[in-house]
Amino acid sequence: MAGRNIWGLKQLRLQMLCKRGNFEAICRRWSSSTSSQVHGNCKASLLKKLNAKIPEESDNVCVYRVPAKLRQVEAEAYDPSIVSIGPYHRGDRHLKEMEELKLKFFHRVFGSKQEREVELERVISAMEELEPKARSCYADEVKLSRDEFVDMMVIDGCFILQLLREVGSCRSSSSLVQRWMLPTLRRDLIKLENQLPMIVLRELLDVIDDSSQCECSVLSLQDLTLKFFNPLLQRDSHMNAAGATATMSRTCHFLDLFRSSILPEIQDQDRKRQPRMIQSITELTEAGVMLEKSQNDRALDIQSEGRVLKIPPLHIDDHRGTLFRNMVAFEQCHKKCKPDATAYVFFFDGLVNSEGDVEILHYKGIVHHSLGSNKEAANLVNKLCKEVDWDGEESYLHKVVCDDIDVYFMSRYARLRARLVHYYFSNWVVGISTVAGLFALYLTLIQTGCGVADTLEALKENSFWAYLSDSFSLLFSRPSTPIPDPEYSNQE
């Protein structure tokens, strides 16, 4: 009986092993089929993506969305406040009020013409022909139909041209623009995301038959643009813009044009890597660097001659730093332009470490601001570089920072002078204390010298060793009996 039970258990075990083997085989087959299915699905998905048509990068791209890491620092510096130009902010709720004003300017362009329908037809035909090229200027996909895009180019372009004419040359201001609007319009029209390609404006200007005989019919688009935007840096609105004529044909939009107008005239061979940043204004002045206000109207044209640093005046009247933030964002996105505005911003960030640095620059006539305090101006300058990547390659400020100022700053004389000024002449109180201490030391030295002279005179009568032996003998001699005072004795 026991043998049968054992035999039965063996058979049961064999059956379980067979079933287990079948189960494992089934699992292997299922796993293999599942893996094959996943592989096939992945391959099909990747092939679909590989065969999908990806839009090619256009050489015309010049209008970009501001990178998220820059936007998170100061988003309002990149978003338009009152008016939308181009497709990126078209239809934003807070910008709809200005659409009526844009239409009024559009009517002014064609309203005085006898055959405005014919003129409008010419404009539409030109914009339809230009539409593919203009659309390719935007880095992000423009979700507007062909008709909507042409409508946008005509309305926005006519608004801009008429605004430039009325404000820039024909009259000091436009009857349609309220006084508070003009500074805000300047800042809105210079923002990177709020641009209309320059090719659109040039084509519109060529097509529209302007019968006006005022000054605006003579000035070029470049002159009108610079006259309109010059107040952003407090430059003379009647300055001669001929120096930037050569770059006009290569500029992409208003931001690029204004940026080109303030760049220094420097050759590419003068650009080198700038491994170090410049020291603060306080450190430079302590070391003996002399600051001078440059008379050059190109804000980025910083020059140096030995220990003399020449900086064009900088006017800051916007607490967001809109102009420089957008120029830096454009350089970060557009590979065709050199990062000169970025280098300039990092240069000033190195110069300004505290409100005291701003005070020195203001005293020299270099920095002017309307931000309430020097501390706010210093904070604004320091925040301009936040989240901005710059490796110093091809810096146009290499000669200023490395070849001139840094070489002088690292000299033995400069370091000694900086140490003395920092510790002993940092302000007028410390300076007076230092002079008083030096004067007291001088008097002490005179007194010591006179005492030594008297001692030397006495040494002529007796030798030095005689005085020395008398000094030692006093240590071992008994004190002498004091002589009684006669007056004290009489009283007793």
Side-chain angles (χ1 to χ4, degrees):
M1 190 72 180
R4 291 180 179 178
N5 291 337
I6 293 173
W7 176 249
L9 290 173
K10 289 182 177 180
Q11 287 182 331
L12 180 62
R13 183 180 180 185
L14 288 172
Q15 291 176 359
M16 292 180 65
L17 289 173
C18 292
K19 290 181 179 179
R20 181 179 178 183
N22 293 336
F23 177 74
E24 290 178 352
I26 292 172
C27 288
R28 284 195 297 270
R29 287 196 298 270
W30 179 81
S31 176
S32 177
S33 62
T34 303
S35 177
S36 177
Q37 183 179 1
V38 170
H39 177 78
N41 293 339
C42 182
K43 180 179 179 181
S45 175
L46 291 177
L47 282 175
K48 183 179 179 181
K49 294 178 180 178
L50 186 61
N51 295 327
K53 185 179 180 181
I54 298 178
E56 297 181 358
E57 293 186 4
S58 173
D59 293 336
N60 300 323
V61 173
C62 59
V63 184
Y64 305 87
R65 291 278 192 182
V66 176
K69 66 175 184 177
L70 299 182
R71 179 178 289 278
Q72 69 183 4
V73 178
E74 190 68 60
E76 294 182 358
Y78 309 104
D79 294 332
S81 301
I82 61 175
V83 65
S84 168
I85 300 295
Y88 285 163
H89 294 276
R90 181 181 173 87
D92 288 359
R93 183 174 301 178
H94 70 286
L95 304 176
K96 288 185 177 180
E97 293 183 4
M98 287 295 293
E99 294 302 315
E100 182 178 351
L101 181 63
K102 287 162 67 173
L103 288 177
K104 291 180 179 179
F105 277 97
F106 172 68
H107 276 272
R108 283 197 172 186
V109 173
F110 296 97
S112 60
K113 296 178 174 58
Q114 299 294 330
E115 301 178 353
R116 58 182 181 179
E117 185 174 348
V118 176
E119 290 292 328
L120 182 59
E121 182 67 28
R122 291 176 55 196
V123 169
I124 294 175
S125 299
M127 292 299 102
E128 286 178 343
E129 183 177 353
L130 193 62
E131 185 265 342
K133 187 176 182 180
R135 187 185 289 265
S136 67
C137 293
Y138 294 90
D140 288 16
E141 181 183 1
V142 178
K143 298 180 180 180
L144 294 177
S145 66
R146 181 179 174 83
D147 293 341
E148 290 175 334
F149 195 88
V150 170
D151 179 88
M152 177 203 71
M153 288 193 294
V154 174
I155 298 297
D156 291 355
C158 290
F159 163 71
I160 291 174
L161 291 178
Q162 190 64 22
L163 178 66
L164 294 182
R165 287 170 170 175
E166 294 189 11
V167 176
S169 65
C170 291
R171 51 185 71 91
S172 59
S173 62
S174 172
S175 59
L176 295 177
V177 177
Q178 299 179 16
R179 189 169 298 169
W180 66 268
M181 290 183 180
L182 199 53
T184 308
L185 282 174
R186 286 193 179 98
R187 287 194 289 268
D188 277 0
L189 295 179
I190 207 71
K191 294 178 179 178
L192 177 58
E193 295 184 359
N194 212 36
Q195 296 296 317
L196 201 62
M198 194 68 76
I199 56 175
V200 175
L201 297 175
R202 285 200 295 263
E203 186 67 19
L204 274 175
L205 193 62
D206 291 340
V207 173
I208 295 174
D209 182 19
D210 187 9
S211 60
S212 175
Q213 298 300 321
C214 66
E215 182 188 357
C216 64
S217 62
V218 179
L219 293 177
S220 66
L221 177 60
Q222 172 186 324
D223 296 329
L224 290 171
T225 302
L226 294 180
K227 285 180 178 292
F228 180 77
F229 287 110
N230 277 337
L232 288 174
L233 289 179
Q234 300 295 318
R235 296 198 299 179
D236 185 7
S237 60
H238 300 288
M239 62 167 286
N240 184 9
T245 303
T247 62
M248 178 62 186
S249 59
R250 300 191 298 271
T251 53
C252 307
H253 39 64
F254 283 165
L255 178 61
D256 189 22
L257 174 62
F258 191 76
R259 171 185 166 276
S260 300
S261 71
I262 63 175
L263 290 178
E265 297 178 358
I266 184 172
Q267 302 297 326
D268 288 340
Q269 57 265 26
D270 295 332
R271 299 176 183 273
K272 296 180 182 178
R273 177 172 173 76
Q274 180 186 321
R276 295 179 298 275
M277 300 307 298
I278 197 166
Q279 292 79 13
S280 69
I281 284 294
T282 301
E283 294 174 319
L284 293 178
T285 52
E286 287 177 350
V289 174
M290 301 175 62
L291 297 176
E292 288 187 8
K293 173 186 174 183
S294 175
Q295 301 301 322
N296 198 331
D297 56 13
R298 292 175 175 262
L300 274 60
D301 193 3
I302 300 173
Q303 299 178 358
S304 62
E305 296 177 2
R307 65 170 182 162
V308 179
L309 185 59
K310 299 180 180 180
I311 305 177
L314 173 65
H315 296 263
I316 306 174
D317 60 354
D318 177 16
H319 66 281
R320 299 188 184 97
T322 299
L323 175 62
F324 288 99
R325 288 187 188 277
N326 282 271
M327 286 195 296
V328 169
F330 176 59
E331 291 179 350
Q332 294 285 298
C333 299
H334 198 59
K335 298 179 181 179
K336 294 182 180 180
C337 64
K338 304 291 185 181
D340 292 340
T342 306
Y344 177 82
V345 167
F346 272 90
F347 176 83
F348 255 93
D349 180 55
L351 285 181
V352 177
N353 284 348
S354 64
E355 56 183 312
D357 296 326
V358 177
E359 183 177 355
I360 296 174
L361 290 171
H362 178 72
Y363 176 77
K364 294 291 185 178
I366 296 173
V367 171
H368 307 273
H369 67 87
S370 56
L371 301 182
S373 68
N374 291 332
K375 184 177 181 180
E376 291 185 24
N379 291 336
L380 172 61
V381 172
N382 296 144
K383 287 179 65 177
L384 290 177
C385 297
K386 192 173 182 181
E387 298 297 334
V388 178
D389 297 325
W390 184 64
D391 56 6
E393 292 288 348
E394 298 183 322
S395 173
Y396 81 100
L397 289 172
H398 174 272
K399 179 182 181 300
V400 174
V401 176
C402 300
D403 293 349
D404 289 338
I405 301 301
D406 197 54
V407 170
Y408 168 77
F409 186 82
M410 296 304 295
S411 65
R412 184 176 300 177
Y413 166 77
R415 285 184 291 177
L416 177 60
R417 187 184 190 281
R419 192 176 294 112
L420 291 175
V421 172
H422 181 77
Y423 290 106
Y424 302 106
F425 297 95
S426 57
N427 55 60
W428 66 273
V429 176
V430 177
I432 290 177
S433 302
T434 301
V435 173
L438 291 175
F439 186 68
L441 178 62
Y442 172 72
L443 294 179
T444 303
L445 291 175
I446 292 178
Q447 184 179 10
T448 304
C450 294
V452 170
D454 293 341
T455 303
L456 292 176
E457 187 68 25
L459 286 174
K460 292 180 179 179
E461 301 177 359
N462 298 300
S463 65
F464 170 77
W465 297 107
Y467 282 104
L468 186 62
S469 62
D470 290 344
S471 299
F472 276 103
S473 64
L474 289 175
L475 296 174
F476 304 101
S477 62
R478 290 183 178 182
S480 59
T481 304
I483 300 175
D485 188 355
E487 295 182 0
Y488 180 77
S489 301
N490 294 333
Q491 290 179 357
E492 288 182 350

